Amino acid sequence: HRAKVDYQTKKTAIVVIQNYYRLYVRVKTERKSFLPVQKSVRTIQAAFRGVKVRQKLKIVSEEKMAAIVDQSALCCYRSKTQYEAVQSEGVMIQEWYKASGLACSQEAEYHSQSRAAVTIQNAFRRMVTRKLETQKCAALRIQFFLQMAVYRRRFVQQKRAAITLQHYFRTWQTRKQFLLYRKAAVVLQNHYRAFLSAKHQRQVYLQIRSSVIIIQA
C-alpha cells in the first residue's frame, strides 16, 4: 500500500511538472508565431492609413495642402513622440509582465520540484527505514538462533553430565547392593554349611553313641 501511495504521489508530481513544461513550450511557440503576425498587421495598417491619407489629400485643395502637411507633420511628430513614450511604457510593461510570468512559472516549477524532492526524500527515508527494520529483524533472528544454539549446546552438555552422573550413581548403587547381597549370601552359605556340618557331626555322634551303647550292653 505504501509503495502504491508513493507511486501515485510521484506520478502526480511528474504530471504537474510535464504540464508546466508543456504550457511554457506552448506559450513560447505561440509568441514566436504571434510576433510576425503582429508585425505584418501593423505594416498593413500603416499602409492602409497611408492610402487613406493620400486619397484625402487628393481631394483637398493646394492651399489646404500646405496647412495639412504642416499639421500632419506636427501631428506626426506629436504622435511619434507619444507613440515612442507609449511604446517605451508598453515595452516596460511587457518586460515587467514577462518577468512576472517568468517568476510565477519559475516559482511554480520550484514548488513542484520542491514537492517532488520532498516526496522522493520521504520515499527514500521510508525505504531506508524499512531496510533498517529488515536488517534489525534479521539481526534479532540471528541472535535468537545463536542464543538458542548456545542454550541447546549447554543443555546437551548438562544432560550428558547428568546422564553420566546418574550412570555412575546407579553403578555405585548397584555395586553397593550387589556387595550387600553377596555378603548376605556368604553369611547364609556359612550358616547353612555350619548347619550341615553340625547335622553331620550329630549323626556321627549318634552313630558312635549307639555303637558304644551296643558294646556296653
Side-chain angles (χ1 to χ4, degrees):
H1 180 69
R2 291 181 179 175
K4 186 175 180 181
V5 172
D6 293 339
Y7 171 74
Q8 292 292 336
T9 307
K10 293 179 181 178
K11 183 178 179 182
T12 306
I14 291 170
V15 169
V16 171
I17 293 170
Q18 288 178 351
N19 290 331
Y20 277 111
Y21 181 73
R22 289 172 182 171
L23 182 63
Y24 171 73
V25 173
R26 184 177 177 184
V27 170
K28 190 174 180 181
T29 305
E30 289 181 356
R31 180 171 179 79
K32 285 182 179 180
S33 61
F34 171 73
L35 290 176
V37 173
Q38 185 182 16
K39 188 175 180 181
S40 301
V41 169
R42 288 179 179 177
T43 304
I44 293 170
Q45 287 178 353
F48 180 74
R49 289 169 184 168
V51 171
K52 287 290 187 179
V53 170
R54 285 193 295 272
Q55 288 178 358
K56 290 180 179 179
L57 288 176
K58 288 180 181 178
I59 299 172
V60 180
S61 61
E62 294 180 358
E63 292 179 356
K64 293 181 180 181
M65 183 64 72
I68 291 173
V69 170
D70 294 335
Q71 289 178 358
S72 63
L74 182 61
C75 291
C76 182
Y77 175 74
R78 290 179 179 176
S79 298
K80 187 176 181 180
T81 305
Q82 292 178 358
Y83 171 74
E84 289 178 354
V86 172
Q87 186 180 12
S88 62
E89 292 178 357
V91 169
M92 291 176 64
I93 292 171
Q94 287 179 355
E95 290 178 354
W96 176 81
Y97 180 75
K98 291 176 183 177
S100 177
L102 183 61
C104 291
S105 63
Q106 289 180 353
E107 185 178 1
E109 185 176 0
Y110 169 76
H111 285 303
S112 62
Q113 291 178 357
S114 178
R115 287 194 296 270
V118 170
T119 303
I120 293 170
Q121 288 177 355
N122 291 330
F124 180 75
R125 288 170 183 168
R126 284 194 291 270
M127 183 186 69
V128 171
T129 304
R130 287 195 298 272
K131 189 174 181 181
L132 291 175
E133 288 293 332
T134 305
Q135 292 178 355
K136 185 177 179 181
C137 292
L140 289 175
R141 288 182 180 179
I142 293 170
Q143 290 177 357
F144 174 74
F145 281 113
L146 287 175
Q147 290 176 359
M148 184 178 68
V150 171
Y151 289 150
R152 181 176 177 82
R153 184 178 295 175
R154 188 180 299 171
F155 172 75
V156 170
Q157 291 177 354
Q158 291 177 357
K159 185 178 179 181
R160 288 179 181 176
I163 291 172
T164 304
L165 291 175
Q166 289 177 357
H167 175 70
Y168 281 113
F169 178 75
R170 288 171 184 171
T171 303
W172 175 78
Q173 189 176 12
T174 304
R175 182 175 178 80
K176 184 179 180 182
Q177 190 173 4
F178 170 73
L179 291 174
L180 290 174
Y181 287 162
R182 189 176 69 175
K183 187 176 181 181
V186 169
V187 171
L188 290 174
Q189 287 176 359
N190 291 328
H191 281 286
Y192 183 70
R193 287 172 183 172
F195 172 73
L196 290 176
S197 179
K199 187 177 179 181
H200 179 69
Q201 291 294 331
R202 183 176 177 77
Q203 289 178 357
V204 171
Y205 170 74
L206 290 174
Q207 288 178 0
I208 295 171
R209 183 181 177 185
S210 62
S211 297
V212 170
I213 291 171
I214 291 169
I215 291 170
Q216 288 178 357

